[in-house]
Amino acid sequence: ASFVENFLQERYPTLAGAVQTAFARGPRQRFDLIRPLMYDILQCNESAEVSALLFEARILEILSRITVAQETLAISDAAAERVTIKPEDVTALMEIAEYISDHNRQISLKTLSSISLMSESKLKTLFKAQYGMTITEYIQKKRMSSAELLLISTDLPLAQISKIVGYANPSRFSELFRRYYGIAPSSYRAGK
């Protein structure tokens, strides 16, 4: 931590506070965004100079992603502070999150609105205030997490994993997985 603090204070003093706040936030922070970068560092088998260059580049990118995520969370937190969520709405939102976790098929906003007994607009606003992300982001995060588990714990074909986690089109699944984790599902499996 002191290396990061000193490095940031020296080279990027205006960002130092945002990164320190991000580390202090703990589990709510979306550190899954940096996992592929850490993987690159760990898998580097190049010469010392190339490894040092890769390490520095990835660390800068990690710090950049953490800072951007922190700024996004700060905006979410500010919006959440302006939104008051009634206890019955919190219960409904928890039911929606559980429903999303239990269903890997296409989930429409209309269905979620019906389950929660809220208008679509109110549901979207309160969900984002409660969970710090949109419903679509939440669904994708759950699906990618399930896919990651299936990739490392089974030998199922990618097409089957794609269907299990709710994507009818395997190439669309691969594209989203690559965007989310920074590497193709097959490479992710091979690396584990």
Side-chain angles (χ1 to χ4, degrees):
S2 61
F3 166 77
V4 171
E5 290 170 12
N6 293 337
F7 178 81
L8 288 173
Q9 287 296 344
E10 183 180 310
R11 293 183 73 188
Y12 306 99
T14 58
L15 299 179
V19 173
Q20 289 170 344
T21 302
F23 279 110
R25 288 186 95 104
R28 186 163 178 224
Q29 181 65 45
R30 296 182 197 161
F31 287 106
D32 48 334
L33 296 174
I34 65 172
R35 189 178 322 175
L37 302 173
M38 297 299 293
Y39 181 79
D40 281 352
I41 292 170
L42 293 172
Q43 297 300 313
C44 183
N45 294 324
E46 303 298 327
S47 68
E49 285 182 336
V50 172
S51 294
L53 184 61
L54 175 74
F55 178 78
E56 185 174 342
R58 291 302 182 255
I59 293 300
L60 289 173
E61 190 170 355
I62 286 168
L63 292 174
S64 171
R65 287 186 182 193
I66 289 171
T67 303
V68 168
Q70 172 56 30
E71 290 170 355
T72 302
L73 284 173
I75 291 166
S76 275
D77 287 349
E81 287 174 9
R82 292 189 300 269
V83 175
T84 304
I85 305 175
K86 298 176 189 170
E88 60 269 18
D89 290 338
V90 170
T91 302
L93 291 169
M94 289 170 49
E95 289 172 6
I96 292 300
E98 189 175 317
Y99 180 86
I100 290 169
S101 294
D102 292 342
H103 294 84
N104 283 328
R105 59 181 171 77
Q106 286 303 108
I107 302 170
S108 72
L109 185 58
K110 185 176 182 176
T111 300
L112 296 178
S113 175
S114 175
I115 292 168
S116 67
L117 302 175
M118 294 182 206
S119 70
E120 291 179 13
S121 175
K122 179 180 177 180
L123 174 60
K124 290 192 304 190
T125 301
L126 294 184
F127 192 94
K128 180 146 186 163
Q130 178 74 17
Y131 292 100
M133 65 185 82
T134 66
I135 293 171
T136 302
E137 290 168 335
Y138 188 86
I139 290 170
Q140 184 176 352
K141 181 177 180 174
K142 289 292 184 182
R143 288 178 174 180
M144 292 299 118
S145 183
S146 295
E148 177 187 24
L149 181 63
L150 289 168
L151 284 167
I152 62 177
S153 64
T154 72
D155 291 328
L156 293 171
L158 292 180
Q160 192 172 355
I161 290 174
S162 173
K163 285 182 183 175
I164 290 170
V165 299
Y167 295 101
N169 183 339
S171 60
R172 175 70 175 148
F173 161 70
S174 292
E175 174 190 331
L176 290 171
F177 190 92
R178 190 176 303 110
R179 191 179 310 159
Y180 197 81
Y181 287 104
I183 113 181
S186 54
S187 299
Y188 190 88
R189 172 181 270 171
K192 293 296 172 187

